[in-house]
Amino acid sequence: MTVAAAAVLRTVEGAPVPLQEVVVRARLQDLLADVEVTQSYKNAEPTAIEAVYSFPLPVEAELLDVEVTVGERVLRGQVVERRQAERRYEAAIVDGDAAMMIERPEPGLYVMNVGNLLPGAEARIAFRYALLLRRQRDQYRFLHPTTIAPRYGRWALEPHQVPESSLLVDHACRLDVEVTGLLAGASIESPSHAIDIERADGRTVVRLRESRLLMDRDFVLNLRTAAAPPAVVLQGPDIEGGHVCLALLQPDTAVAVEAPPRDLKIVIDCSGSMQGESIAQARVAVRRILDALRPQDRFAVVLFGSAHLAWRPDMQPGDDATVAAAQQALAGMIANMGGTEMGAALAAAYRIPVRAQATPTLILITDGEIAERESVLSGARSSRHRLLTVGVGSAVAEGLLRELAAATGGACELVAPREDMAERIVRHFRRIDSGGARLTIDWPAPARDVVGLDDPVFAGDTVAVFARLERAAAGELRYALAFPDGRNAADRATIGSPESAQADDTLARLWAARRLFELGRAIDSAADADRGRLQQEAAALALRYRLLSPWTNWLLVVPQAGEATHELPALRKVSQMLAAGWGAAGMLGAPRMAMDMPTPCGSFDAMGAGTLSSDSAPSVRRSVFARFSDLAGGDGEVFGSLHSRISRGFAADLRSLLKKQATHRRGYPVLDDLAGIAGLPPAAIVALRRLVEGGASEQAVVAAFLRLLLEGPMDASFDRPTRRLILKLCRDARVPSTLADQVRQVIRQVPGTRHLLAGSAA
């Protein structure tokens, strides 16, 4: 997209879109993808702005480097502890300096913050990520997502992080891929885009046939080759000394002649977002699943949207007559069930009884577009079911589907429009029948901190196992498999010479990222006494290996010197393009359109014969932003009596007060203004007024008190603009540290307010 073209685009608020261009350069070297993404921003407004852009990356991608070009300066970002990064970023914005911060609020979702971009200024941000290419039979897949589809429900994110979609924006990017090494001779095709392929001098270059790629769908590249070996061992230097070894293994996990009977539950998303290509793919998937059933198998089917419906209330035999009845009932399945209450549907499926000693498997077919993730993941972890997920559509919520699979010892398949659904279903049945073998490895050198061995090994899948070695290894790596049916197998893989080891620290950082993933799973299931220790360990590891994580952000502050602005920048969120095919809008090969969401259907009768079963209608969910109620519990006061009296009402009143004064330039709040806020104890105002009577500036006293709120649990109730207004007030008031200490001490003495302070005892 040219700068001239981008300048005429407008945000929802009517302001020029600050994101000018995106360029993607990918290099697939052997089994590692190294991708550089450059985002260019320009402020075409007469005042300073803050551009905030939520964007997707592959879930298994690891951000390795960030470089920012502002004018003639080229600067490198650094990884900083999350809360410290947020404070430094906000301080820079309030001080009028330019700043860049990248956050990862959930797997696969990133937020770029470009603050204090002055009128006419440009910033180019280039970041680099690495991604392992995993073999599935003879195929490798490279996927680069470009947009985030709308999600059902309330996001558990800060307001500035929540992606917004718009039919009015038309983002595009330039993209090319270079393939070298093991995959250079592979046959290559893209189900998502028209491409041209050039081969010369042992490398292959893939370019888009069109000059630009509309950012409304994933870019998918499939590479097939029989030349790559089933086992590849790579090694490289460790940041902390020694070496890191990566074993990419595709063991022979041939299924026994007669696989045991299956207890299979099929859960299908029929919400409005699945209209068009997605529900068509889902119909193909269900047909293939039912065709693969045997008389000794048992199955159940649950459809969901705003409510959920079960085709027959219990597990059914896989005989010809029953399968034929299910095929007839589901042949006309359409996406007309409204919202996406996935959690309630999965819970209903989990409750369907299975045979004694059976290991129930659940196949979930969905685009995954829900905002409420944690309750769904928690239910899956405790379900004792293995989830095999099938993501359908042009912009699948990959993070949720991979997490559901990983949390339950399952696997995930993503199927883009025009891809072969039947092949994906066959893969899942191979996984069901192989049962998931357990892998052990005999490393050729003393190994420690091995990660990746806990995952089950399924037929046709590649497993990635990392280990830290005291020295570079050579020779052979031996591994063994133990199958659920008692069979055992063993094999070996050749390790290249130490001279062939990678020179950079990419493998070491990928090891650390996998270790962070395992620590995250441990934190989710840890007792309260252990959670803090594990979080500290994870944060320290992310800092040492310079990785973006739930505990760290990428940060860069650029002093503006004489150009610094003294006004807070206007927030400009960059909207997403509506995903192609979402709710039948923008189907591949058809013009984009907007469609109204149909009302839910009430029975299977709309799809054909069948017996209807339904649980109660979905209950109204509480807001995920009601974080004060989430923190209640324990002995004694819950944030003291202040919690029950101030709560969200106090935060809302304070936000309103600060916003009104900033909008109308009414100066700074005084103690009388705070006294009008519902729930603030009068004794707190009296204590602060005594400081003013003793000679302290009233503006400084109020600023110090508000800054105190940001140091304690109240901070969770404030949005970014409110925090920023408080910081600006503190800067303008020039609060002495002695006064800040005095305010802290007097507030500490006011009954019911001691839980405001960071580090106070309960």
Side-chain angles (χ1 to χ4, degrees):
M1 181 187 300
T2 65
V3 171
V8 302
L9 297 178
R10 300 279 166 176
T11 66
V12 175
E13 298 85 5
V17 173
L19 180 65
Q20 301 291 291
E21 184 181 49
V22 177
V23 179
V24 181
R25 303 276 186 246
R27 185 184 181 209
L28 312 188
Q29 169 65 42
D30 293 328
L31 304 184
L32 189 66
D34 191 304
V35 184
E36 182 178 275
V37 180
T38 303
Q39 298 173 353
S40 298
Y41 297 85
K42 180 178 181 180
N43 181 8
E45 300 186 50
T47 59
I49 67 169
E50 177 186 25
V52 177
Y53 177 36
S54 297
F55 62 94
L57 288 180
V59 169
E60 295 183 336
E62 292 304 329
L63 208 58
L64 298 181
D65 198 14
V66 179
E67 184 178 273
V68 180
T69 303
V70 181
E72 300 298 322
R73 292 176 290 182
V74 179
L75 304 162
R76 304 290 286 273
Q78 59 180 318
V79 175
V80 179
E81 188 275 326
R82 182 177 62 86
R83 295 296 292 166
Q84 182 184 356
E86 290 170 352
R87 293 189 195 100
R88 288 171 57 181
Y89 178 82
E90 293 298 327
I93 299 305
V94 171
D95 290 342
D97 291 327
M100 178 281 304
M101 183 173 69
I102 305 179
E103 310 166 87
R104 195 190 75 181
E106 64 179 47
L109 173 62
Y110 295 74
V111 181
M112 177 73 73
N113 303 267
V114 185
N116 273 337
L117 201 58
L118 298 177
E122 299 183 18
R124 187 171 69 251
I125 300 171
F127 58 85
R128 193 179 131 247
Y129 73 81
L131 178 71
L132 292 177
L133 300 176
R134 298 179 186 244
R135 176 173 175 162
Q136 172 50 243
R137 296 288 169 180
D138 64 344
Q139 178 176 299
Y140 296 84
R141 179 184 176 93
F142 171 68
L143 181 149
H144 178 82
T146 66
T147 193
I148 302 168
R151 296 192 187 176
Y152 174 80
R154 296 287 299 274
W155 290 80
L157 304 177
E158 293 283 342
H160 73 276
Q161 297 172 332
V162 175
E164 297 174 354
S165 296
S166 173
L167 287 168
L168 303 178
V169 299
D170 215 17
H171 300 310
C173 74
R174 292 184 284 126
L175 180 148
D176 58 56
V177 182
E178 178 184 280
V179 186
T180 60
L182 292 173
L183 303 181
S187 64
I188 300 175
E189 58 91 21
S190 172
S192 59
H193 294 82
I195 59 174
D196 289 321
I197 300 173
E198 301 175 8
R199 300 182 190 270
D201 302 324
R203 69 188 187 107
T204 300
V205 177
V206 179
R207 294 189 174 89
L208 297 170
R209 188 161 298 165
E210 301 293 332
S211 59
R212 62 178 197 161
L213 176 152
L214 282 177
M215 295 172 62
D216 65 349
R217 68 200 70 186
D218 297 339
F219 174 78
V220 180
L221 206 62
N222 291 324
L223 304 94
R224 289 184 181 274
T225 179
V232 176
V233 182
L234 307 174
Q235 54 186 329
D238 190 357
I239 290 173
E240 299 183 333
H243 277 68
V244 168
C245 189
L246 165 63
L248 285 165
L249 309 175
Q250 191 185 58
D252 181 7
T253 55
V255 179
V257 176
E258 183 62 27
R262 313 168 182 129
D263 278 52
L264 182 62
K265 301 175 183 181
I266 311 162
V267 180
I268 309 158
D269 185 350
C270 293
S271 64
S273 68
M274 290 280 291
Q275 291 181 37
E277 293 153 339
S278 296
I279 197 65
Q281 288 179 300
R283 284 195 294 266
V284 174
V286 173
R287 187 168 64 249
R288 295 295 184 179
I289 292 169
L290 294 174
D291 285 344
L293 294 176
R294 306 163 303 180
Q296 64 267 38
D297 297 332
R298 296 290 183 270
F299 74 100
V301 180
V302 176
L303 312 186
F304 72 93
S306 296
H308 52 272
L309 308 171
W311 183 79
R312 303 187 179 176
D314 50 17
M315 301 292 284
Q316 299 294 303
D319 58 69
D320 292 346
T322 307
V323 168
Q327 294 277 29
Q328 181 182 2
L330 298 167
M333 181 176 61
I334 56 177
N336 68 341
M337 293 183 68
T340 315
E341 293 289 339
M342 182 186 296
L346 288 173
Y350 299 148
R351 290 193 296 269
I352 299 174
V354 298
R355 290 173 286 193
Q357 309 303 317
T359 300
T361 298
L362 188 150
I363 296 183
L364 172 64
I365 305 168
T366 178
D367 56 17
E369 304 298 351
I370 62 170
E372 174 54 68
R373 299 159 40 87
E374 289 308 316
S375 61
V376 174
L377 288 167
S378 176
R381 292 186 193 104
S382 59
S383 70
R384 298 188 178 182
H385 284 61
R386 172 171 286 163
L387 268 64
L388 302 176
T389 57
V390 181
V392 294
S394 59
V396 176
E398 180 190 5
L400 174 65
L401 299 189
R402 290 204 183 278
E403 281 194 281
L404 283 170
T408 60
C412 173
E413 290 280 359
L414 304 181
V415 191
R418 299 177 179 169
E419 280 198 292
D420 185 1
M421 175 63 77
E423 181 181 9
R424 288 352 190 250
I425 299 304
V426 168
R427 290 179 188 173
H428 269 338
F429 269 88
R430 286 198 195 104
R431 294 177 179 116
I432 295 171
D433 293 342
S434 67
R438 291 297 170 182
L439 177 69
T440 56
I441 296 179
D442 182 13
W443 302 92
R448 58 192 175 93
D449 299 328
V450 178
V451 294
L453 278 179
D454 292 338
D455 297 334
V457 182
F458 295 112
D461 289 355
T462 296
V463 61
V465 183
F466 291 88
R468 302 173 77 187
L469 307 181
E470 294 181 359
R471 61 181 184 277
E476 291 184 334
L477 175 149
R478 299 173 183 272
Y479 57 95
L481 295 165
F483 294 88
D485 60 7
R487 291 179 297 129
N488 293 285
D491 208 337
R492 63 188 68 188
T494 301
I495 302 174
S497 65
E499 291 74 20
S500 65
Q502 294 195 343
D504 63 17
D505 60 7
T506 297
L507 285 183
R509 296 173 74 187
L510 290 177
W511 163 82
R514 176 66 196 200
R515 173 62 182 150
L516 286 174
F517 172 78
E518 294 191 352
L519 280 171
R521 286 204 293 196
I523 290 168
D524 289 338
S525 59
D528 291 342
D530 297 326
R531 188 170 293 118
R533 174 183 57 79
L534 290 171
Q535 288 174 336
Q536 290 178 356
E537 181 182 345
L541 181 65
L543 289 170
R544 292 200 311 273
Y545 282 80
R546 296 180 293 117
L547 293 175
L548 186 62
S549 73
W551 309 277
T552 51
N553 292 347
W554 276 91
L555 176 71
L556 175 66
V557 175
V558 185
Q560 303 264 40
E563 299 178 333
T565 176
H566 296 291
E567 297 296 328
L568 292 179
L571 176 64
R572 297 291 179 251
K573 291 183 68 173
V574 178
S575 297
Q576 310 284 316
M577 284 189 71
L578 190 64
W582 188 89
M587 294 174 63
L588 295 175
R592 287 190 297 166
M593 67 182 108
M595 299 188 67
D596 293 331
M597 189 75 77
T599 56
C601 70
S603 72
F604 261 75
D605 294 340
M607 300 180 293
T611 303
L612 176 65
S613 173
S614 175
D615 281 357
S616 59
S619 59
V620 178
R621 294 179 179 270
R622 63 171 177 82
S623 166
V624 297
F625 294 108
R627 283 177 282 184
F628 263 102
S629 59
D630 294 341
L631 296 171
D635 297 330
E637 295 180 310
V638 182
F639 293 157
S641 59
L642 187 65
H643 165 72
S644 58
R645 291 183 291 166
I646 295 181
S647 188
R648 284 169 291 169
F650 174 82
D653 284 354
L654 183 57
R655 281 197 304 268
S656 177
L657 170 65
L658 294 175
K659 184 177 180 181
K660 184 184 299 182
Q661 292 191 326
T663 302
H664 299 288
R665 299 182 182 275
R666 294 182 177 177
Y668 300 98
V670 295
L671 289 173
D672 286 343
D673 294 322
L674 295 185
I677 295 178
L680 184 63
I685 300 297
V686 171
L688 294 174
R689 201 177 298 281
R690 288 198 189 104
L691 292 176
V692 176
E693 293 169 353
S697 160
E698 185 170 2
Q699 177 186 343
V701 168
V702 172
F705 172 70
L706 296 179
R707 182 66 179 84
L708 185 65
L709 299 179
L710 298 185
E711 298 175 2
M714 280 296 296
D715 179 60
S717 293
F718 296 136
D719 57 12
R720 172 179 275 186
T722 302
R723 295 189 192 104
R724 195 165 288 169
L725 287 169
I726 292 174
L727 291 173
K728 184 177 187 299
L729 177 60
C730 292
R731 183 199 68 181
D732 294 346
R734 301 181 184 276
V735 180
S737 59
T738 54
L739 178 60
D741 291 338
Q742 285 180 294
V743 170
R744 182 178 288 103
Q745 290 301 320
V746 299
I747 292 298
R748 192 186 298 273
Q749 302 305 315
V750 175
T753 63
R754 59 196 177 96
H755 288 269
L756 277 173
L757 306 179
S760 292

